[in-house]
Amino acid sequence: VSCADCQVSFFGDDYRKHTSCMTEVERYEKKGPQQQKNKKQTPQEIWMEVVQGSVESAPSNIQHYLGVIADLDNVPRKPKQFKNFAANSLNLRGKTGESIVSDIWDFLKVKQDERRAAAEAKKQELEQQTKSTLEKPAEERVDKRNKSLESADLSPKTTSDSKPPSSGAADLKSVKKAMKTVLKKSKDNSLALKKLRKAVQAQLMLDKSYSKELKRLLKENAAKGNSFLLDGKTVKLKVSN
């Protein structure tokens, strides 16, 4: 048996499962079948698949009648229209005919509900898989972030408030000694406070981060007046005669 529209050949009762024809795209292009599979089926196409796919599993008292209906086109999906269609197509009259038609309808409704339940279960499964796929990268990012934070906690911390170690001491006594050494080598034994600070910093090999503290120590030593004289922003070493 062959389909007159798409020329597909069938063996035995396979033609019952043929509900839609192969397109020209499917015949001549490699991507055609995939595109056809992605096409959403109409409710009538789904119903016809239910009707045609239910013939083999139908009870013996209605299997023959259902097989005849499966070969027909545009089988109604509504109960009233279906029963009228089946009664006329199968020539079933009277109470016996009505009983057979009702049995056919009830059987098809059970099969239709089973198909819907299976489709819904598959849909939920796909949604869950998609959700898991989307959540996994997010979980990996959180995990990587946590690992980074753990690494940061284990590594030595350097902040803007922490001071690097100095190669020299910076106390009042050592600064005073360095001030004397620098000023003795200076012209008139005096220097601007800024230049003095830089010279003492180099003398004691202090880090630049101690500049503020060194300035305080310089002023404190100069303000005592025992060995130094502070004149504005200039510091002068007192020389005993």
Side-chain angles (χ1 to χ4, degrees):
V1 179
S2 300
C3 176
D5 294 323
C6 65
Q7 307 301 318
V8 175
S9 297
F10 304 98
F11 298 94
D13 292 335
D14 290 348
Y15 66 90
R16 296 183 188 278
K17 300 177 183 179
H18 182 60
T19 58
S20 58
C21 293
M22 182 182 291
T23 64
E24 292 295 322
V25 176
E26 287 179 317
R27 272 201 293 268
Y28 300 111
E29 293 187 12
K30 292 182 180 179
K31 295 183 180 180
Q34 185 177 359
Q35 294 173 346
Q36 185 68 14
K37 286 181 182 179
N38 294 335
K39 183 180 178 182
K40 187 176 180 180
Q41 287 183 302
T42 65
Q44 184 62 28
E45 288 175 340
I46 295 174
W47 172 246
M48 289 304 299
E49 285 188 0
V50 171
V51 173
Q52 293 165 351
S54 302
V55 176
E56 293 182 3
S57 59
S60 57
N61 64 315
I62 63 171
Q63 189 174 42
H64 168 72
Y65 298 110
L66 187 54
V68 175
I69 292 175
D71 290 337
L72 302 177
D73 295 326
N74 299 320
V75 178
R77 291 178 285 123
K78 303 294 182 181
K80 184 177 180 180
Q81 288 86 338
F82 175 84
K83 290 179 180 180
N84 289 334
F85 177 85
N88 293 328
S89 301
L90 301 172
N91 195 25
L92 294 171
R93 304 285 184 238
K95 290 184 178 181
T96 302
E98 290 178 4
S99 177
I100 294 173
V101 170
S102 294
D103 289 344
I104 295 172
W105 172 256
D106 292 341
F107 176 73
L108 289 176
K109 284 301 294 179
V110 170
K111 290 299 180 180
Q112 185 181 47
D113 292 341
E114 289 176 356
R115 180 188 175 107
R116 285 174 177 171
E120 183 63 27
K122 186 176 182 179
K123 180 182 177 182
Q124 291 180 0
E125 183 182 354
L126 290 174
E127 288 177 352
Q128 186 61 37
Q129 289 177 355
T130 303
K131 184 179 179 182
S132 300
T133 302
L134 293 174
E135 288 178 348
K136 189 174 181 181
E139 292 174 355
E140 289 177 351
R141 287 196 296 271
V142 171
D143 187 52
K144 287 180 180 179
R145 181 175 179 274
N146 291 338
K147 287 182 179 179
S148 297
L149 292 175
E150 290 174 3
S151 299
D153 290 339
L154 295 173
S155 61
K157 295 181 179 179
T158 56
T159 63
S160 57
D161 296 332
S162 61
K163 296 179 180 180
S166 171
S167 57
D171 55 63
L172 196 63
K173 187 175 180 180
S174 61
V175 170
K176 181 179 180 181
K177 185 177 180 180
M179 287 172 68
K180 287 183 177 181
T181 301
V182 171
L183 290 173
K184 283 179 181 179
K185 296 178 181 180
S186 303
K187 185 179 179 181
D188 298 327
N189 301 121
S190 64
L191 273 176
L193 185 60
K194 185 176 182 180
K195 289 184 178 182
L196 177 61
R197 175 176 58 79
K198 290 183 177 181
V200 171
Q201 187 172 331
Q203 177 77 16
L204 296 176
M205 295 184 292
L206 296 174
D207 191 89
K208 289 183 179 180
S209 60
Y210 280 91
S211 295
K212 193 173 182 180
E213 177 66 11
L214 179 60
K215 185 177 181 181
R216 183 187 69 77
L217 293 173
L218 287 171
K219 286 185 176 181
E220 187 175 342
N221 272 314
K224 287 185 177 182
N226 296 328
S227 302
F228 308 101
L229 178 64
L230 180 61
D231 183 13
K233 293 185 178 182
T234 301
V235 180
K236 185 173 183 179
L237 176 67
K238 287 183 179 180
V239 181
S240 57
N241 296 325

